[in-house]
Amino acid sequence: TAQIYLVQSHSKLTKVKIVDVLYKFDINTQEKIYNDPIKLNDIGRIAIKSAENLVFDLQQENPANSQAIVIDPRTNLTVGALMIQAID
């Protein structure tokens, strides 16, 4: 089974699963790297499935409502951050 995480945006906490890692982004070359796992401090694009509806704005339109953190419920530690952008 897939690992369950929590996404927290403002005061809302929702269970999510990471469905797919689409790519990792190389900040030095500006290239998308496929089929390579995302590790500590990497930037990438993922697909998630949530237990409840999540409501966000796009980063370009309302930055304050386009971000969230990802929490590991086993340790209660922040393991990632999300930023919602339009699909390119």
Side-chain angles (χ1 to χ4, degrees):
T1 61
Q3 167 69 38
I4 301 289
Y5 293 97
L6 301 172
V7 167
Q8 182 173 356
S9 175
H10 302 288
S11 63
K12 181 163 175 86
L13 202 60
T14 305
K15 291 181 183 179
V16 299
K17 289 182 187 178
I18 296 175
V19 176
D20 194 11
V21 175
L22 303 172
Y23 58 82
K24 180 165 68 171
F25 185 74
D26 186 320
I27 60 168
N28 298 312
T29 64
Q30 306 280 311
E31 293 180 0
K32 297 173 184 174
I33 302 168
Y34 299 91
N35 300 318
D36 196 14
I38 294 177
K39 298 176 186 157
L40 183 65
N41 296 325
D42 283 343
I43 297 172
R45 174 167 269 171
I46 63 169
I48 63 172
K49 182 177 181 180
S50 64
E52 301 176 57
N53 289 334
L54 295 171
V55 179
F56 291 100
D57 292 317
L58 296 176
Q59 174 70 24
Q60 302 87 325
E61 296 172 4
N62 185 359
N65 196 40
S66 68
Q67 304 165 11
I69 60 171
V70 182
I71 301 167
D72 183 338
R74 298 172 299 178
T75 62
N76 210 32
L77 294 174
T78 300
V79 295
L82 300 176
M83 181 174 54
I84 309 303
Q85 294 184 313
I87 297 174
D88 55 323

